[in-house]
Every structure is written in structure tokens, then in C-alpha cells.
Amino acid sequence: MFLQINKLNKHFDTKKGTLVVLKDIDMAIQQGEFICAVGASGSGKSTLLRQIAGLDAPTTGEVTVDGKRITGPGPDRGMVFQHYTLFPWMNVQENTEFGLKLQGVPKTERREQASYFLDVVGLTQFAQSLPQELSGGMKQRVAIARALASEPKVLLMDEPFGALDIHTKESMHQFMIDLWQRTNITIFMITHDVEEAVFLSNRIYALGARPGTVRKEIHVNLPERSHSVKRHSTFHDYRDELMDLLRAHGQEAVAAVA
Amino acid sequence: MTQTSEPRSNPRSIQALIKPKTIRPTVFWRLAEDIPKPLYTALTVTSIGLPLLLWWAITTFGTIDPKFLPSPAKVMEAFGRLWSTRELLKDTVASLWRVGVGFLLASLCSIPVGVLMGSFPSIRALLEPLFGLMRYMPAPAFIPLLILYLGIGEEPKITLIFIGVFFFNSLMVMDTVKFVPKDLIEATYMLGGNRWEALTQVILPHVLPGIIDACRINLAAAWQLVIVSELIAANEGLGRRISVAGRFLRTDEIFVGLIVIGVIGLSFDLLFQYLLRVSCKWASQKR
Ligand SMILES: Nc1ncnc2c1ncn2[C@@H]1O[C@H](COP(=O)(O)OP(=O)(O)OP(=O)(O)O)[C@@H](O)[C@H]1O
Ligand SMILES: [Mg+2]
């Protein structure tokens, strides 16, 4: 297995006592898969991704990538954060190059690599713009280009398209599919958008909330990967199954609060 | 998911309790919005021009003893006199030199210390209590000690400026570092950076505008302290000029000293503002 999560538990100590955010998470992801983890807000999705990124350590259990246990952050895992994290004083080109610069890649090579990925995300003509001059969707595309420029083993994405309008989102979806098919990169993406998950991934982990657990694992087999598939009945079946799963959990969570 | 509509109290009724409000268009009282350029210029000119005009009117039409309040013309005359004897230039250079050395030394020490305090909670815990305490000891209160330790030459004056700037500047720089988003530092780690690179290539550029601003504010303090130190013991300097003029009741020369001090201070301020604008375009556009 390429990316493996074994018996992962995560607790936070809060004023009200110990908060169990993730409970007994087991996941196994093969190289070249496009995985989506779907869950309601507050189900611990970001927390799970932070454990894989190595930005936070699990209370018990472990995460391994390519057989090696994760003990800290590193460029073998490209990360696209939930909130915009471009460096405001660097222009788009410099932002995209920054990871390569940190890893000691000479100037001409990193310039070329960054330009290539800026072209891939369609932002070549904004290479000299500052982040504050970009729209939300453009910022997120720069963040993707920046993560891809280091050619990571796995791309981790935390609700990257949550703030985008439906049309930008659709074009980003097509872009992700193209990228995935062309580069065969492993992608682990978090979302609360059910259609997004069904459309993009080959496998979905549906998460239950409070504490976050893997409720169900769904293999997605769509006849094709283009927007017309969304009218297909197979697509609707997957979507409805997921919706029902999440709805059940939503009610549980509400009941737990009440 | 259809809900049967329950009989509720008329939702209109709350409308009766809401006090209607309108926001009328305005030019002068705009909140956090730009005002027209001509108005801005006019107000800026008024800010300096009106007090000058008042001063001139009072001294011309009023019956105030010129020993207390000399007229603008008298002050200009005194300025010409002091300038032609090169005394004014000598005093200005002496004060500028003290501020320059003291402020530069204090900045060179306080910027790295402040960045370290802001970046590492360990260093903050080590230094913040001491610095917080020192900050509340007014620098001029150290003058007797400094004279005792260092005599009455240049050293006590420069040390005074150092004390007055170092602690404040360290703490202000520390505060700017605290506002660096954690996300940016984590993004740096994910891109392959280590702590040192996060510090030098992310935290430092992010806080540069804040540092320039802290220095701008503390330069004003340094400029005040040099005058204070010269009032007490000095052979030359703008503070010394004022205290000598006071002893001989030369009010016009006091005014010359005050105005020169003010104009130089303002120039420094504008210089720093300019520096901020050209070196940190990304930050100045936000404000
Ligand atoms: N550092 C922390 N300390 C204490 N509690 C935390 C911490 N980080 C997260 N939590 C809690 O863990 C739970 C899950 O948070 P998380 O951010 O992982 O949710 P999420 O699934 O990403 O939600 P969203 O979809 O809104 O982003 C929340 O209840 C949150 O309050
Ligand atoms: Mg989240």
C-alpha cells in the first residue's frame, strides 16, 4: 500500500475535557488513486489531513507513505490548504517556484518548472501579479501549481474548491481529472460536496461525525469522466447513496447535541 | 422534508419595533473610504496654515509681549541670524549624529531580538517579563545614573537613546511577528522549508512592513530623548540651543529650535513612510 493510515486516533485536550475527533481510522490507498473523503463540517476532515501532512501527530496509530512512517511535514506530500496560503509579497511566479527554491533547485530549472505548471493551471498571463490581485479561484489554482511543482508523491487537498462558484468549480474538476489521468499522481482530497466526490474520485471514504470514523468505503465506477456523466443514472445512484449516508449522520450529530 | 406551517404570531409585528435607519451620502464624514483629492489637499494645507495664520494674527493685532510670543517675522529673522553664524547647522548636526548612532544601534539590536521573541515562545518567556518591566521605566529617569557611570560626553546621550528605543522597539517588533498566519509557516514546511528558512524567508518578509512602522514610531521617541539629554548637559545641539536661549529670554530662538526639531522629525516620518511604500508594495496597498 502506498499511503496507509493504521488505527489512527486523535484527541484534543480542551477546557471541557478530552475531545475525541478521530476514532480508529483505517485507510489504504494505492499509488495513482484519486480518493475523496466526504464528511459533514466538524467531522474532523482537516484534522485527518493534518495527520497525513505531518503538521500534527496522531494520539495513537500511524500514517505511512511509501512504507515510511510520517513524523513531520515534507515536500513529498503536496498540500493545498482550505484557506488561501499564498505568500502575499511574492508574485504568482515566485509563489509557484518557492518550494523548489527551498529545495535548492537552480534558478533556470525552477523557473521552467513553475512556468510549466502555471501553464497547466492556465495562469501564465498572471505570472507577475500579486496574490491580492487574483480572484479566489485563481489563488487556489496557484496553490495547486505550487504544490505540483515539487512533483510530490501524493497531493493532499483540503476542500480546495469550497469557495468557488459552480462554473469555476466545474472547470477545476475537469482540470483535476485531466491532471490525474496525465500524471498518474495520487490524490487525497477532502470535500463536503457529494457530487464533487463522485465525479472526481475512484474511491470515496464517507466519514461519520463526532467522533470522526470511516462509515463506508465506496468504489466509484463511472462509465466516463466528463460532465455529461452527471446525467447518468449510475452517477445519481452513487450520489444518493452518499447523501443518505451523510444525512443519517447529520441527524445523529443533531441528536447527540440535543 | 415538507413542514406543515404552524400558526405563528404575525411575523410582520417585529417590523413595528425596528427603527428605520438610512445612511446618507457624505463627503467629509466618510468612514474608511477615500475622500476627493482636492478636499484632502485643502485639509492638509489648513492643518499647518491655520495655526500659522492664527499665530501671525495674534502677534500682529494682539497686545502680547513679544518676549512671550515673537511674531513669525521675528522668528524668521532669528533663523537667518543663527543660520548665517553656522551655529544652527552645528547644533542640528550634533543632535542628528546622536540620534543617528543611538537609534541605529538600538534598531540593530532590537529587530533581531524582537523577531526571535515573536518567533520562539521560549525566548519570549525568557525576555518578555524583563523587557516589559524596563519599558515602564522612563528613559529620562536614567539620566542621573548615566551621568554617574559615563560622565557628560556623548556616551550617556547615546546610551539614553538606546535605552529609550531598544525595549519598546523589541516589544513592538515581537507583536508584528505574532500576527504572521500559522498557515503560511505550515505551507513553508510542506514545501520543503525548515525552521530557519521559515524564519528568514517567510516570517521576516512578512513582518518587514511592521518593523519599518515600529522603527518610525520609535524614531520619534529617540528624537525627543536627544533633546531632553541636551537640555541637561551638552556643549552643542538643538536642545542645548533652546535651553541657552531660555536662559537669556530669547524666545525667538526657542521658537527657531522648536520648529527645526519638528520639521526634522516630520521629515524622518515621511522618509519612513516612503520607505514602507516602495519596499512593501503588497502591504501598503491594503491600508
Ligand atoms: N487544535 C484543536 N484543538 C481543539 N479542538 C480542535 C482542534 N482542531 C480541531 N478541533 C476540533 O475538531 C473538530 C474537527 O475539526 P476539523 O477542522 O477537522 O473539521 P472539518 O471536518 O475540517 O470541518 P470543516 O468542513 O468545517 O472544515 C472540531 O470540533 C474542532 O473544534
Ligand atoms: Mg476543514
Side-chain angles (χ1 to χ4, degrees):
Chain A
M1 263 327 136
F2 183 64
L3 169 63
Q4 195 144 6
I5 301 172
N6 297 326
K7 293 251 169 326
L8 186 142
N9 285 277
K10 181 68 187 179
H11 304 169
F12 284 112
D13 289 322
T14 62
K15 269 176 261 162
K16 286 185 215 153
T18 306
L19 179 71
V20 182
V21 176
L22 297 172
K23 190 162 183 280
D24 290 332
I25 304 280
D26 280 306
M27 290 183 183
I29 292 151
Q30 284 174 24
Q31 190 145 25
E33 277 198 287
F34 195 144
I35 303 289
C36 277
V38 190
S41 183
S43 57
K45 303 184 297 294
S46 295
T47 309
L48 175 63
L49 207 68
R50 288 176 62 82
Q51 315 302 309
I52 304 174
L55 292 169
D56 206 351
T59 311
T60 62
E62 61 167 12
V63 181
T64 61
V65 171
D66 218 358
K68 279 196 282 293
R69 188 186 172 145
I70 298 297
T71 53
D76 57 326
R77 286 145 289 151
M79 177 94 160
V80 178
F81 289 82
Q82 188 169 4
H83 307 287
Y84 306 129
T85 53
L86 299 182
F87 302 103
W89 59 94
M90 298 182 199
N91 64 30
V92 166
Q93 173 85 29
E94 290 162 337
N95 261 291
T96 314
E97 278 178 31
F98 190 58
L100 298 169
K101 186 180 170 193
L102 289 171
Q103 292 167 77
V105 177
K107 200 163 184 155
T108 38
E109 280 83 354
R110 68 176 195 246
R111 181 131 301 177
E112 241 170 60
Q113 176 90 344
S115 299
Y116 171 75
F117 280 102
L118 279 182
D119 187 40
V120 168
V121 299
L123 287 176
T124 304
Q125 50 171 325
F126 291 94
Q128 302 306 317
S129 306
L130 287 175
Q132 65 196 11
E133 297 159 5
L134 305 181
S135 73
M138 289 154 85
K139 281 184 203 168
Q140 215 55 321
R141 280 186 285 169
V142 178
I144 294 172
R146 185 177 68 179
L148 290 175
S150 302
E151 296 176 3
K153 290 180 189 160
V154 49
L155 185 63
L156 307 173
M157 305 176 96
D158 192 350
E159 294 186 33
F161 312 130
L164 304 186
D165 70 87
I166 188 113
H167 300 292
T168 318
K169 211 174 190 174
E170 279 196 348
S171 66
M172 290 306 294
H173 288 166
Q174 201 56 58
F175 162 70
M176 288 309 298
I177 292 283
D178 291 347
L179 180 86
W180 178 49
Q181 286 173 345
R182 208 166 30 173
T183 58
N184 204 31
I185 187 176
T186 313
I187 303 178
F188 187 95
M189 178 167 144
I190 272 170
T191 177
H192 57 241
D193 181 336
V194 169
E195 288 204 5
E196 177 172 271
V198 176
F199 182 68
L200 289 178
S201 57
N202 68 305
R203 204 146 56 86
I204 296 173
Y205 286 104
L207 302 181
R210 281 165 243 270
T213 47
V214 177
R215 235 347 133 81
K216 191 156 188 212
E217 191 189 326
I218 299 171
H219 289 263
V220 183
N221 260 317
L222 290 180
E224 53 170 333
R225 297 272 179 188
S226 70
H227 285 294
S228 50
V229 83
K230 289 185 183 170
R231 285 190 288 271
H232 213 280
S233 66
T234 333
F235 186 88
H236 292 172
D237 293 342
Y238 284 123
R239 187 193 61 192
D240 295 343
E241 182 185 358
L242 261 174
M243 286 295 264
D244 287 339
L245 267 168
L246 294 181
R247 189 175 297 125
H249 290 151
Q251 280 163 1
E252 262 170 46
V254 170
V257 169
Chain B
M1 295 304 268
T2 49
Q3 281 189 338
T4 51
S5 56
E6 286 175 29
R8 280 151 116 227
S9 60
N10 184 1
R12 280 266 189 76
S13 63
I14 199 74
Q15 288 292 342
L17 300 173
I18 294 172
K19 294 194 191 85
K21 244 180 236 163
T22 52
I23 298 176
R24 261 172 280 133
T26 172
V27 175
F28 195 91
W29 297 113
R30 283 185 193 168
L31 258 180
E33 264 180 285
D34 283 337
I35 58 170
K37 190 107 192 166
L39 178 63
Y40 190 88
T41 317
L43 291 174
T44 319
V45 170
T46 312
S47 165
I48 302 281
L50 192 65
L52 271 180
L53 193 72
L54 275 176
W55 177 21
W56 173 81
I58 289 171
T59 48
T60 310
F61 303 112
T63 53
I64 291 179
D65 186 349
K67 274 268 166 283
F68 287 113
L69 188 65
S71 68
K74 284 286 262 199
V75 172
M76 277 308 290
E77 204 183 299
F79 180 84
R81 194 169 62 238
L82 290 171
W83 185 257
S84 63
T85 59
R86 314 201 97 237
E87 281 172 291
L88 189 61
L89 190 66
K90 217 176 79 189
D91 288 329
T92 308
V93 169
S95 297
L96 278 178
W97 188 80
R98 288 170 191 140
V99 170
V101 175
F103 181 74
L104 218 68
L105 280 177
S107 306
L108 282 180
C109 299
S110 60
I111 291 171
V113 169
V115 170
L116 290 177
M117 284 169 80
S119 307
F120 301 102
S122 47
I123 296 183
R124 190 183 317 157
L126 190 67
L127 296 179
E128 200 179 3
L130 176 69
F131 282 29
L133 183 72
M134 294 296 290
R135 177 168 62 160
Y136 280 100
M137 300 183 187
F142 284 88
I143 290 175
L145 271 184
L146 291 175
I147 291 177
L148 191 68
Y149 295 158
L150 300 167
I152 53 164
E154 295 301 305
E155 296 91 343
K157 297 183 184 67
I158 289 168
T159 314
L160 179 76
I161 293 168
F162 186 91
I163 293 174
V165 171
F166 176 75
F167 298 105
F168 266 97
N169 212 39
S170 300
L171 292 171
M172 284 170 73
V173 169
M174 176 186 88
D175 274 335
T176 67
V177 179
K178 276 196 219 156
F179 286 112
V180 179
K182 207 174 154 217
D183 276 355
L184 288 189
I185 295 168
E186 291 184 339
T188 312
Y189 292 155
M190 291 311 294
L191 290 168
N194 56 25
R195 287 198 186 83
W196 173 249
E197 284 157 339
L199 187 66
T200 53
Q201 295 186 46
V202 175
I203 293 181
L204 264 189
H206 197 278
V207 299
L208 188 64
I211 290 178
I212 292 178
D213 223 35
C215 287
R216 180 176 71 87
I217 290 163
N218 285 312
L219 184 58
W223 193 230
Q224 291 193 6
L225 286 170
V226 75
I227 306 300
V228 170
S229 74
E230 289 168 355
L231 284 174
I232 289 161
N235 296 322
E236 74 283 287
L238 289 167
R240 156 86 180 164
R241 169 70 35 209
I242 289 174
S243 93
V244 169
R247 223 173 293 153
F248 295 103
L249 276 182
R250 287 199 209 119
T251 351
D252 48 355
E253 290 187 10
I254 297 184
F255 270 71
V256 172
L258 286 174
I259 290 171
V260 170
I261 289 168
V263 168
I264 291 176
L266 182 65
S267 319
F268 278 146
D269 213 82
L270 294 176
L271 185 75
F272 269 88
Q273 284 182 31
Y274 175 75
L275 209 66
L276 186 67
R277 235 177 311 131
V278 293
S279 67
C280 312
K281 284 209 178 68
W282 63 275
S284 47
Q285 279 172 6
K286 257 190 318 200
R287 288 176 198 185

